[in-house]
Amino acid sequence: LRQGRVLCYQRLPEDAPVEAVAERESARRQGIRSHLALPLQAGGQVLGGFGCATFHREYAWTGQRQARLRLVADVFANA
């Protein structure tokens, strides 16, 4: 995320990288099933992140859904 890349996990904790031990455990403990995190960018800098998560079911973060949420993230980043 700090490098400006989107983090998208449809099935947590299964889809998280093996080396993300703490993140996998956190998702398991909190009951997070799916997660999308978009970088908040303005002026060529990553200012933070905009995230969405589901708790009751897995969710497919399609390209269209990501594009719509990217618009929301851009509004926050440039506010």
Side-chain angles (χ1 to χ4, degrees):
L1 197 61
R2 290 180 181 158
Q3 297 170 353
R5 290 185 282 194
V6 172
L7 299 176
C8 181
Y9 301 107
Q10 183 174 329
R11 296 175 52 235
L12 281 174
E14 297 88 350
D15 287 351
V18 175
E19 63 272 12
V21 176
E23 291 82 356
R24 292 170 68 93
E25 180 55 31
S26 177
R28 188 176 293 113
R29 191 174 55 253
Q30 295 178 49
I32 298 173
R33 301 295 307 273
S34 299
H35 187 256
L36 174 70
L38 302 163
L40 294 176
Q41 297 176 298
Q45 294 183 33
V46 176
L47 308 173
F50 177 83
C52 297
T54 64
F55 293 89
H56 297 289
R57 65 181 176 95
E58 294 171 357
Y59 192 75
W61 303 102
T62 63
Q64 183 179 22
R65 290 176 179 152
Q66 288 186 37
R68 289 178 179 165
L69 290 169
R70 161 60 49 209
L71 291 173
V72 175
D74 287 345
V75 169
F76 278 103
N78 292 288

